[in-house]
Amino acid sequence: MQTTRKITDNIFYIGVSDKRLALFENLFPLDNGVSYNSYFINDEKTAVLDTVDRFVSDQYFENIQYLLQGKSLDYLIVHHMEPDHGANISRLMEYYPNMQVVGNVKIKQMMGQFFDCDLEGRFITVKEGDTLCLGQHTLSFIMAPMVHWPEVMMSYEQSQKILFTADAFGSFGAMEGIIFNDEADLGQNWVNEARRYYCNIVGKFGPQVQAALKKVSTLDVKIIAPLHGLIWRSNLEAFLEKYDLWSRYIPEEKGVLIAYASMYGNTENAANALANSLAEKGIKNLAVKDVSKVDISYLIALAFQYSHIVIASPTYNLNLYPKIEHFLVDMKALNLQNRTVGLIENSSWAPTVIKQATELLQSMKNMTIMEEQVVIKSALKDNRAIEAMATKIAQEIL
Ligand code: FEO
């Protein structure tokens, strides 16, 4: 049975969700699956916008077949070649031999890398500002390199004012009937999963996202249609504002992430003592996470969200605890900047945490390392250094 939904009279959602997939990119945990969004425009000419991951192909082809109602498929618009969206391009070309593929030069090049299909007479190359008229609908193309790969482009459908944004504005999570952000009260979860998606997948490329946002700001956009997760047709300003903050590496909120590692509970005790003191002082945006239990993608999202990060780590093999090191290295890889970081070091012999964490933090941009540090020998024996750190953080936040 087809699973399409109408967006406007002649533009349809034909995407498919996968709830069986445990790890997106075989890396990021999916608590409730992921959707691979694709769109269909029915006009004098018909067009499909992007394909889906190969694991959900059957439903996707059924959806296209259903909407075509015997018509031919004229165009496939490719915005992004990553296989979660591009996997079915060559199959679609086989099934619809008169269909032409529309994309930019880099998309054409990557198609040659991924597939063995003959593009002679079947590829229309577009560049910034080019348009494709389907009849009542016209798509104009906007290049968005490195949001998330170099070939990425967006398209803007002029009559309905829909912006097809590729990975930008995507979020984790399967579609469950609801495809629009205003169809249900989604609470905070949408922003959490949109943030986790952005920071981990696109977070490294803030300047390129800024360049794309600048282009988008010149358009009258009524609907944002990404390649993952909800379609946005209300409250667009709030979502755009979050993208602006995330891509400039500006904290969304004043708040504290305490990321700790603890083998036997002593470093955890220090993290909890700090959290208690911060809460007593009135700090409400407070997350205390065990790096051994919480996947790094959630820690990265919290690090992008909050202004302050406290790292609490035992010394391990004369180094940082491995999962703490991984977190710091990932923060650096994703270009995180402009945060204040407090350090709590624990060791029974040969302490190295403060030295090694400081070196890593100093290699990132505009990270302020707090002078108030906590040095523990095996177990926390008095609260003075914790209190001093909490007092300073509270002064900065409140
Ligand atoms: Fe959803 Fe960069 O692919």
Side-chain angles (χ1 to χ4, degrees):
M1 175 57 70
Q2 57 87 15
T3 57
T4 65
R5 280 204 58 193
K6 190 178 263 205
I7 296 174
T8 63
D9 282 348
N10 288 300
I11 299 181
F12 298 84
Y13 178 77
I14 58 170
V16 188
S17 290
D18 186 350
K19 283 190 174 178
R20 295 185 177 205
L21 189 71
L23 298 172
F24 183 74
E25 294 184 353
N26 214 5
L27 199 57
F28 304 104
L30 294 171
D31 300 331
N32 190 36
V34 66
S35 76
Y36 306 106
N37 297 350
S38 171
Y39 304 93
F40 178 84
I41 303 178
N42 188 22
D43 205 328
E44 289 162 32
K45 298 285 185 185
T46 56
V48 162
L49 283 68
D50 296 297
T51 77
V52 296
D53 192 75
R54 66 195 173 102
F55 299 110
V56 294
S57 304
D58 288 355
Q59 183 67 67
Y60 170 72
F61 284 107
E62 185 173 350
N63 287 348
I64 294 173
Q65 224 21 41
Y66 167 77
L67 287 173
L68 279 171
Q69 309 239 325
K71 287 170 83 172
S72 64
L73 178 57
D74 297 304
Y75 298 111
L76 167 66
I77 321 293
V78 177
H79 294 104
H80 184 15
M81 280 301 296
E82 193 167 4
D84 53 336
H85 313 293
N88 279 293
I89 292 172
S90 62
R91 260 176 89 186
L92 210 59
M93 290 177 75
E94 261 174 55
Y95 289 4
Y96 300 99
N98 296 321
M99 179 195 84
Q100 289 195 293
V101 180
V102 180
N104 59 38
V105 172
K106 287 200 174 77
I107 285 168
K108 188 177 185 184
Q109 178 198 328
M110 284 193 189
M111 278 184 64
Q113 294 170 197
F114 277 106
F115 307 113
D116 291 320
C117 47
D118 182 6
L119 294 177
E120 188 61 39
R122 297 205 62 187
F123 194 92
I124 299 172
T125 307
V126 294
K127 57 185 185 324
E128 182 80 33
D130 283 355
T131 57
L132 177 72
C133 182
L134 304 172
Q136 303 297 312
H137 300 83
T138 299
L139 292 164
S140 54
F141 300 103
I142 302 151
M143 302 303 120
M146 298 317 298
V147 185
H148 156 221
W149 280 16
E151 84 295 3
V152 168
M153 63 180 204
M154 302 181 179
S155 62
Y156 177 67
E157 200 292 301
Q158 297 172 2
S159 71
Q160 304 300 311
K161 303 185 190 308
I162 303 179
L163 185 65
F164 297 96
T165 57
D167 275 339
F169 304 103
S171 44
F172 292 128
M175 299 291 204
E176 296 180 320
I178 287 163
I179 63 166
F180 296 105
N181 69 308
D182 55 10
E183 286 188 299
D185 180 7
L186 299 161
Q188 264 301 102
N189 202 38
W190 76 263
V191 76
N192 291 340
E193 284 299 76
R195 185 190 301 107
R196 187 166 73 97
Y197 180 84
Y198 174 83
C199 303
N200 288 282
I201 307 297
V202 194
K204 183 179 184 68
F205 306 112
Q208 292 88 345
V209 173
Q210 278 289 310
L213 287 176
K214 202 169 163 193
K215 292 182 188 179
V216 168
S217 70
T218 65
L219 302 169
D220 179 13
V221 178
K222 298 285 185 235
I223 297 177
I224 289 176
L227 286 178
H228 298 286
L230 294 170
I231 297 165
W232 297 86
R233 61 180 184 187
S234 67
N235 225 3
L236 300 190
E237 299 74 21
F239 201 13
L240 284 161
E241 195 182 322
K242 290 203 183 292
Y243 255 68
D244 180 48
L245 292 174
W246 295 337
S247 56
R248 286 189 295 131
Y249 305 99
I250 304 291
E252 221 178 307
E253 295 167 285
K254 290 197 167 189
V256 189
L257 163 64
I258 302 174
Y260 72 88
S262 192
M263 286 179 281
Y264 303 104
N266 290 310
T267 312
E268 181 180 35
N269 172 247
N272 286 336
L274 177 68
N276 277 6
S277 181
L278 290 169
E280 265 178 10
K281 290 174 176 29
I283 296 204
K284 292 187 168 41
N285 291 327
L286 183 57
V288 185
K289 301 295 176 191
D290 179 346
V291 297
S292 298
K293 298 293 190 306
V294 178
D295 183 78
I296 193 168
S297 63
Y298 294 91
L299 303 176
I300 288 292
L302 285 162
F304 270 72
Q305 185 177 359
Y306 288 152
S307 55
H308 289 64
I309 302 164
V310 175
I311 300 290
S313 175
T315 304
Y316 192 90
N317 281 339
L318 302 177
N319 206 335
L320 293 161
Y321 191 81
K323 293 204 174 210
I324 288 285
E325 184 178 24
H326 185 197
F327 178 41
L328 287 166
V329 167
D330 209 24
M331 277 166 51
K332 180 177 173 172
L334 292 168
N335 238 336
L336 186 69
Q337 305 164 26
N338 307 318
R339 298 303 189 270
T340 299
V341 184
L343 297 173
I344 299 176
E345 166 185 271
N346 193 0
S347 74
S348 299
W349 48 278
T352 62
V353 166
I354 287 178
K355 180 175 177 290
Q356 287 171 335
T358 299
E359 281 169 11
L360 265 169
L361 290 162
Q362 283 174 340
S363 70
M364 301 179 209
K365 283 188 199 149
N366 203 21
M367 299 298 251
T368 305
I369 302 169
M370 293 181 68
E371 284 175 15
E372 293 76 7
Q373 295 177 335
V374 180
V375 175
I376 303 166
K377 287 284 175 206
S378 302
L380 189 66
K381 293 290 167 61
D382 80 67
N383 224 16
R384 282 173 296 174
I386 291 279
E387 263 312 296
M389 182 180 274
T391 301
K392 186 67 197 286
I393 292 173
Q395 278 168 0
E396 290 180 355
I397 288 184
L398 297 172

